[in-house]
Amino acid sequence: MAKTIYIRLRHRIQSAPEGWIRLGDLAQIIDSEEESSLSRLNVYHVTPNDRSMAVVDVMHIIKLLRAAEPDAEIQTIGPSQTVVEIVSRKKKRKLVYFIAVWLLLFVGAAMAIINFHEDVSMQAVHQKLYFMLTGKEAEKPLLLQIPYSIGLGLGMILFFNHVFKKRINEEPSPLEVEMFKYQMDLDQYVAMNENKESVKKLHEH
């Protein structure tokens, strides 16, 4: 009885700028042999021409497996393409750049909050609420403004679900969900445009 090879491609992997990508890096493999050499099979060679992205199609892998195991039955499960992100060695960030970006984001966020409060007349709202609760008028109702400011900061922490690098709970934040959706759309776009077999143009003669 011919043996069966099950292949499940990974959705996305990271690779060094140059060198070979093996089948074990691209996919999960289930083979009838306990010590299978298929995971060490060279599948794709990363070159400088690939720049930052490359796509490996399952059909290319099947051709290689046919050559390596002519009598085996190949079953593919899951994605039909793997997006290869080519990552160069990261340079150490300079402290001055970190401080500059932090200040830029801090000032930008502060300006956005201030402009929003001015648009909705938040100070006038606090003054009216203070008058309704105490019967007294106050130009700066700190009794409401201080808890509101603290609550605003706590609300942002709960929204982003992070205190610095520490996650509050396992539930993803709305920002992480949107970033995940963006990454999925980006991978789908790359898979469609970088893979030469995905689109074929028929020229009229």
Side-chain angles (χ1 to χ4, degrees), residues 6-15 19-30 38-46 54-62 64-65 77-86:
Y6 296 93
I7 300 290
R8 185 179 188 274
L9 290 184
R10 293 184 171 90
H11 180 75
R12 183 186 185 91
I13 66 168
Q14 291 184 341
S15 172
W20 281 96
I21 298 175
R22 297 180 176 181
L23 183 58
D25 302 324
L26 286 168
Q28 294 174 290
I29 310 165
I30 298 178
L38 292 178
S39 61
R40 297 188 295 273
L41 182 67
N42 289 331
V43 175
Y44 187 82
H45 187 246
V46 179
V55 176
V56 180
D57 193 85
V58 71
M59 297 300 291
H60 174 65
I61 294 175
I62 291 175
L64 295 176
L65 290 175
I77 305 169
S80 59
Q81 297 164 329
T82 297
V83 177
V84 181
E85 181 184 2
I86 301 165

Side-chain angles (χ1 to χ4, degrees), residues 47-145:
T47 65
N49 293 332
D50 291 318
R51 293 182 292 181
S52 61
M53 291 285 186
V55 176
V56 180
D57 193 85
V58 71
M59 297 300 291
H60 174 65
I61 294 175
I62 291 175
K63 289 179 182 178
L64 295 176
L65 290 175
R66 290 286 188 197
E69 299 282 349
D71 299 326
E73 180 183 353
I74 302 169
Q75 296 286 342
T76 60
I77 305 169
S80 59
Q81 297 164 329
T82 297
V83 177
V84 181
E85 181 184 2
I86 301 165
V87 181
S88 303
R89 184 177 296 178
K90 293 183 179 179
K91 296 181 180 179
K92 192 174 181 180
R93 297 187 182 95
K94 294 183 179 180
L95 181 61
V96 64
Y97 292 150
F98 172 80
I99 293 174
V101 172
W102 185 86
L103 285 173
L104 181 65
L105 294 175
F106 179 82
V107 172
M111 291 298 295
I113 293 172
I114 291 171
N115 289 333
F116 168 75
H117 286 166
E118 284 295 320
D119 288 341
V120 300
S121 302
M122 187 62 70
Q123 185 173 2
V125 172
H126 284 167
Q127 290 172 349
K128 290 180 180 179
L129 285 174
Y130 185 82
F131 179 76
M132 291 171 62
L133 294 172
T134 64
K136 300 178 181 178
E137 292 186 356
E139 184 179 353
K140 296 181 179 180
L142 299 179
L143 186 65
L144 293 177
Q145 290 178 340

Side-chain angles (χ1 to χ4, degrees), residues 122-177:
M122 187 62 70
Q123 185 173 2
V125 172
H126 284 167
Q127 290 172 349
K128 290 180 180 179
L129 285 174
Y130 185 82
F131 179 76
M132 291 171 62
L133 294 172
T134 64
K136 300 178 181 178
E137 292 186 356
E139 184 179 353
K140 296 181 179 180
L142 299 179
L143 186 65
L144 293 177
Q145 290 178 340
I146 292 175
Y148 173 80
S149 300
I150 295 172
L152 184 64
L154 292 176
M156 295 297 288
I157 291 174
L158 292 175
F159 179 81
F160 289 106
N161 197 24
H162 277 83
V163 179
F164 296 102
K165 290 186 178 181
K166 188 175 181 181
R167 183 187 291 271
I168 298 174
N169 53 51
E170 295 183 358
E171 182 179 351
S173 68
L175 179 61
E176 289 173 325
V177 173

